[in-house]
Amino acid sequence: MEQYEPDRLTPPQVAAMRRSLRNGRAAMTRRSLLRASAGGALTLGGLGALSACGIPAAGKTEGGTSAEDHSAKEKTVSFSNWTEYMDVDEAGKHHPTLDTFTERTGIKVKYSEDINDNNEFFGKIKPQLAAGQETGRDIVVLTDWLAARLIRLGWVQKLDPSNLPHAYANLSGQFRSPDWDPGRAYSYPWQGISTVIAYNKKALDGVEVKSVSDLLDNPKLKGRVGFLTEMRDSVGMTLLDMGKDPGKFTDDDYAAAIARLQKGVDSGQIRRFTGNDYTSDITSGDFAACIAWAGDVVQLKADSPDIDFLIPDSGYMTSSDNMLIPNKARHKTNAERLIDYYYEPTPAAQLAAYINYVCPVDGVKDALAKIDEDAANNPLIIPDKAMQAKSHAFRSLSAKEETAYEAQFAKLTGA
């Protein structure tokens, strides 16, 4: 197992981090529009409702360091998450799904919204993890590339499948086996993040858009196209358009994608690279079309009849934010019970109705329809099998590749 990780970020990595903090996913309002949910009281089945028959027993922890599990005596679990990434009641003071979990199990959840950026949070927990000390957290939610790094370093614990019957059974197929955690031995998705093409019907004024090629090559869209400052999203969508698999590309493939985007920059076809602030550009019509995050598009469509999205025939990019249990966590079993709880259809539906990201839980559609029928029928929240089949993930990068690729992308975007 690779144990080396550079303590100092390279200049391209620093630039990427600054982009993320300024206007990338770190700056995203994960639930910027509060909507009252319809529906009555939720009826939740017991944690033991689904038999663990056939679920493999826990094996020896590999790659992670366990501690004495205090779950039986200490009915608590510490959960670190991103801001506005949990359902909230109308008063904004309680998280209904967490409250129900506590009522059912007696386990109190210490919920903290202390993750604002992956790199920043990694800096918080790295000293303790590197020293073999507990972080004070039982669950952390990290984007896939950082989750991959912690697994590679051996800083998270292997999960016990016997405590995760719902998660084991209900995890959506498109999230089941990322290359950085085959079979989900160390992680389970909190939510999925899809990258699509958003467009403003009024601004297009009859111009047809079906692909990334249309964004880059149609002269009628010159100066009215946006791409994202997140490298994996913009390059990944371009690779797909070029017939390349973002999960298997080579250095030459990457360089070709950068060159294709550079042509769009040099010609003025691409107006600019943005983070979450593309939402104002696409709404105003400054962008006729752009690469966008699906969670934002759901909310924009609700507010403006001119905004819509499309999935190119070549496919779309999917990433995920993932729940992991750090080394030396004091309440591993309690943490696994909480992870499993969010793979039951009803709490998963309540969460999906509130935050509007891709729900990673199969079988949630009927439960979601009772809360929000529009959300249940929205393929950006509940992808059907055809849409799932078009999803692609950006492959894991070595430290050397990440440095080189970020340098090329930073030069492209002017970061």
Side-chain angles (χ1 to χ4, degrees):
M1 176 174 292
E2 181 181 348
Q3 293 294 324
Y4 171 74
E5 288 286 332
D7 286 330
R8 294 182 180 274
L9 295 174
T10 65
Q13 289 171 322
V14 171
M17 176 175 147
R18 285 174 176 164
R19 288 197 307 271
S20 183
L21 283 168
R22 181 174 65 248
N23 59 7
R25 285 199 51 232
M28 290 169 62
T29 300
R30 294 182 174 257
R31 188 63 179 95
S32 60
L33 300 177
L34 302 181
R35 290 189 303 160
S37 295
L42 299 176
T43 55
L44 301 172
L47 281 169
L50 179 61
S51 170
C53 180
I55 304 300
K60 180 180 178 182
T61 297
E62 298 174 8
T65 304
S66 61
E68 181 181 354
D69 191 350
H70 298 267
S71 294
K73 294 181 179 179
E74 298 177 4
K75 294 294 185 180
T76 185
V77 60
S78 178
F79 184 2
S80 284
N81 204 349
W82 296 71
T83 58
E84 299 189 59
Y85 217 12
M86 179 67 75
D87 57 311
V88 179
D89 66 10
E90 292 184 5
K93 296 181 179 180
H94 296 280
H95 303 291
T97 54
L98 290 177
D99 291 346
T100 302
F101 175 78
T102 298
E103 290 168 6
R104 184 202 295 182
T105 64
I107 299 170
K108 294 182 179 180
V109 182
K110 180 185 177 183
Y111 185 70
S112 302
E113 294 185 339
D114 57 347
I115 304 178
N116 296 302
D117 173 75
N118 284 291
N119 281 305
E120 179 186 53
F121 187 72
F122 181 63
K124 287 182 183 179
I125 62 176
K126 180 179 178 180
Q128 294 99 315
L129 292 173
Q133 301 169 352
E134 66 173 287
T135 65
R137 300 167 175 89
D138 300 305
I139 300 176
V140 295
V141 177
L142 303 174
T143 305
D144 42 21
W145 63 267
L146 183 54
R149 180 188 295 178
L150 264 65
I151 292 171
R152 186 169 67 245
L153 288 168
W155 287 353
V156 294
Q157 297 186 53
K158 193 171 186 179
L159 300 172
D160 182 346
S162 66
N163 289 330
L164 297 157
H166 298 93
Y168 185 89
N170 295 338
L171 176 60
S172 174
Q174 74 181 99
F175 297 106
R176 277 198 174 268
S177 196
D179 66 352
W180 48 270
D181 188 14
R184 292 289 181 179
Y186 296 92
S187 68
Y188 269 93
W190 174 247
Q191 297 290 291
I193 304 144
S194 296
T195 305
V196 299
I197 295 177
Y199 59 90
N200 184 313
K201 299 173 190 176
K202 186 175 181 180
L204 282 179
D205 192 25
V207 177
E208 188 174 55
V209 171
K210 291 186 176 180
S211 67
V212 171
S213 288
D214 290 331
L215 299 186
L216 290 172
D217 299 333
N218 191 328
K220 293 181 179 179
L221 297 179
K222 184 175 180 178
R224 299 192 295 140
V225 168
F227 277 74
L228 291 168
T229 55
E230 294 293 338
M231 179 266 285
R232 289 166 176 81
D233 293 318
S234 287
V235 175
M237 292 291 281
T238 305
L239 284 167
L240 285 171
D241 188 70
M242 297 168 63
K244 302 296 182 180
D245 184 350
K248 298 178 181 178
F249 66 88
T250 64
D251 286 349
D252 288 343
D253 295 334
Y254 185 89
I258 290 291
R260 183 153 166 68
L261 289 167
Q262 186 67 59
K263 181 180 178 182
V265 171
D266 294 342
S267 68
Q269 184 77 9
I270 297 174
R271 185 183 184 96
R272 67 190 186 103
F273 288 82
T274 73
N276 184 240
D277 49 330
Y278 68 80
T279 56
S280 60
D281 290 284
I282 195 72
T283 301
S284 68
D286 287 343
F287 284 167
C290 64
I291 304 299
W293 289 304
D296 291 332
V297 178
V298 172
Q299 298 174 31
L300 292 174
K301 276 173 60 67
D303 283 352
S304 173
D306 291 329
I307 306 301
D308 211 334
F309 76 98
L310 65 92
I311 303 296
D313 289 341
S314 59
Y316 67 101
M317 297 302 297
T318 298
S319 57
S320 56
D321 288 328
N322 309 275
M323 296 176 281
L324 305 101
I325 301 177
N327 283 357
K328 297 297 183 78
R330 287 178 61 87
H331 311 105
K332 182 172 184 286
T333 298
N334 290 346
E336 289 167 339
R337 292 182 73 183
L338 183 57
I339 292 170
D340 193 61
Y341 165 74
Y342 279 105
Y343 276 81
E344 294 181 30
T346 301
Q350 190 173 1
L351 185 65
Y354 189 84
I355 62 177
N356 290 169
Y357 278 79
V358 180
C359 181
V361 182
D362 271 345
V364 76
K365 187 170 184 177
D366 289 345
L368 182 55
K370 295 176 182 178
I371 304 170
D372 187 334
E373 189 170 355
D374 288 342
N377 293 318
N378 191 326
L380 297 182
I381 299 174
I382 308 292
D384 57 24
K385 290 184 178 180
M387 186 166 174
Q388 288 183 25
K390 289 187 175 183
S391 71
H392 297 266
F394 204 90
R395 71 170 173 82
S396 298
L397 301 178
S398 67
K400 181 179 179 180
E401 286 177 324
E402 188 167 12
T403 299
Y405 291 168
E406 286 288 3
Q408 294 178 58
F409 191 70
K411 183 178 179 181
L412 168 73
T413 62

